[in-house]
Amino acid sequence: MATIRKQKDRWQAMLHEKNAGHMKLLFTGANGFVGQHVQAALRCVQLPHGLDLRDRAALTAAVAAIQPDTVLHLAAQSFVPAAFENPRETFDINFYGTLNLLEALQAAKFKGRMLFVGSGDAYGQVEERDLPVREDHPLRPRNPYAVSKVAAEALCYQWSQTAAFEIVIVRPFNHIGPSQSPRFAIADFARQVTEIRLGLRAPVLQVGDIDVTRDFTDVRDVVRAYSLLLEQGRNGGIYNVCSGREYSIRDLLLRLITLAGVDATIEQDPARLRQAEQRRMVASFEALHRDTGWQPAISVEESLQDLLNDWTEQLQ
């Protein structure tokens, strides 16, 4: 743990150095979960409020005005049910929005480095014998969101080889941490547990399928990985961003109950059940560690406690 903390200290020192040098980091997706934490951790410039990546002319003008040194491209339509409802919109935002950004950077004579945020969902269904997932695993996307990310990732790789600037690609897995939308399971459980603790609901938790495992990383560790890759990643390189640990959803729910000090019954709500083709998931961050020295620094207990604290502030 001391080694990890030293790495965090080095990262903070690097941020101060970059800020002192007035490196201009442009990032998209300011209103998203990760975007909020990027703003808290890094000095950065946003696109004008309300600018749509699909508006090519407005995006080109904004990038020309900003003249960034580095770019973190987070913006996406990332909610899988919405992607199934409107795959064309998802593709327009995630693929053509990325193409518009690349062309805008080219028009502004950008010479720096861009980080494209893809998704671990690109791997699709992975056999248990192939766990943990590594970057050379075949991509078999199984929903419109994942397809759009695979297509945009391929586009970014091509530009990394043919454009005048560099691009690094990441495939993040499940995030966790304060300010996460209750559309996502662990954040929703934290909200329900907090409501029970505050006497705002009966001591009954409504859940879906909680007998699956996933690889969760604290969002603040994710932002740290992105910052390090903007500095040290390889052009055209692809990196998993993950904890390398397999967590049971049921176990995390029980930890939330314990941390909150409540007694609650767990009930499975049929409306929350979705077919979980992937029963187990865990990935490897070996490539990320090799090239940047990154490893997770925030424990899952700290992440869960911060989630509970965040919901307490919102609900009181």
Side-chain angles (χ1 to χ4, degrees):
M1 183 59 71
T3 300
I4 298 174
R5 294 298 176 188
K6 286 180 181 177
Q7 185 196 54
K8 286 184 72 178
D9 291 343
R10 288 199 303 272
W11 175 65
Q12 291 293 344
M14 181 186 76
L15 294 185
H16 291 315
E17 183 178 333
K18 285 202 301 182
N19 288 341
H22 302 294
M23 288 286 289
K24 194 179 292 183
L25 168 63
L26 167 65
F27 86 107
T28 68
N31 296 325
F33 171 46
V34 182
Q36 297 174 53
H37 288 276
V38 169
Q39 294 179 72
L42 306 174
R43 179 178 294 175
C44 45
V45 179
Q46 305 172 28
L47 292 171
H49 180 70
L51 190 151
D52 193 319
L53 292 178
R54 293 169 290 184
D55 187 338
R56 184 179 177 186
L59 181 61
T60 300
V63 171
I66 294 168
Q67 288 291 314
D69 299 301
T70 57
V71 178
L72 173 55
H73 181 30
L74 281 167
Q77 195 303 99
S78 60
F79 192 49
V80 172
F84 273 110
E85 290 171 9
N86 197 338
R88 185 173 297 276
E89 179 184 60
T90 298
F91 214 82
D92 283 346
I93 295 169
N94 295 356
F95 180 80
Y96 285 107
T98 299
L99 177 58
N100 288 343
L101 177 60
L102 292 170
E103 291 181 333
L105 290 169
Q106 185 177 57
K109 296 182 168 48
F110 177 67
K111 302 293 184 185
R113 170 174 287 184
M114 175 177 125
L115 186 76
F116 171 73
V117 179
S119 172
D121 211 14
Y123 296 110
Q125 190 169 2
V126 179
E127 298 293 332
E128 290 189 12
R129 65 175 178 270
D130 294 325
L131 299 177
V133 184
R134 300 180 187 278
E135 290 84 355
D136 59 359
H137 189 82
L139 303 183
R140 300 189 178 106
R142 296 172 65 88
N143 62 67
Y145 161 70
V147 171
S148 72
K149 282 296 191 179
V150 170
E153 179 181 300
L155 178 70
C156 286
Y157 178 78
Q158 177 249 302
W159 276 65
S160 77
Q161 304 303 299
T162 58
F165 53 89
E166 296 188 342
I167 304 178
V168 178
I169 297 162
V170 295
R171 294 175 186 153
F173 285 75
N174 296 69
H175 300 1
I176 191 174
S179 302
Q180 188 169 30
S181 166
R183 292 191 306 177
F184 298 91
I186 304 303
D188 176 54
F189 297 160
R191 177 184 58 82
Q192 291 190 58
V193 167
T194 303
E195 288 174 344
I196 292 170
R197 188 177 65 79
L198 296 175
L200 301 175
R201 68 183 292 146
V204 179
L205 291 160
Q206 299 294 328
V207 305
D209 184 356
I210 58 175
D211 292 311
V212 296
T213 70
R214 294 293 182 264
D215 186 322
F216 287 96
T217 310
D218 189 283
V219 64
R220 293 157 293 190
D221 277 339
V222 171
V223 171
R224 184 165 52 89
Y226 293 172
S227 180
L228 288 167
L229 284 168
L230 277 169
E231 289 285 321
Q232 302 172 37
R234 292 178 293 108
N235 180 45
I238 300 172
Y239 299 90
N240 288 340
V241 178
C242 56
S243 69
R245 295 189 62 181
E246 184 176 4
Y247 295 100
S248 157
I249 303 297
R250 181 181 293 274
D251 177 60
L252 294 184
L253 175 56
L254 293 174
R255 293 195 205 191
L256 283 168
I257 292 170
T258 300
L259 286 169
V262 301
D263 292 317
T265 303
I266 298 172
E267 286 188 359
Q268 196 167 67
D269 178 2
R272 292 170 175 258
L273 289 174
R274 299 188 186 94
Q275 185 178 1
E277 297 161 334
Q278 190 73 42
R279 304 304 302 174
R280 294 179 55 206
M281 176 53 72
V282 63
S284 168
F285 62 86
E286 182 181 344
L288 172 58
H289 179 71
R290 179 196 65 220
D291 287 357
T292 70
W294 180 94
Q295 55 186 317
I298 299 174
S299 70
V300 71
E301 287 79 11
E302 184 177 346
S303 302
L304 295 175
Q305 185 62 64
D306 287 348
L307 254 177
L308 291 170
N309 294 343
D310 185 56
W311 278 113
T312 299
E313 289 181 13
Q314 292 187 52
L315 294 169
Q316 276 185 333

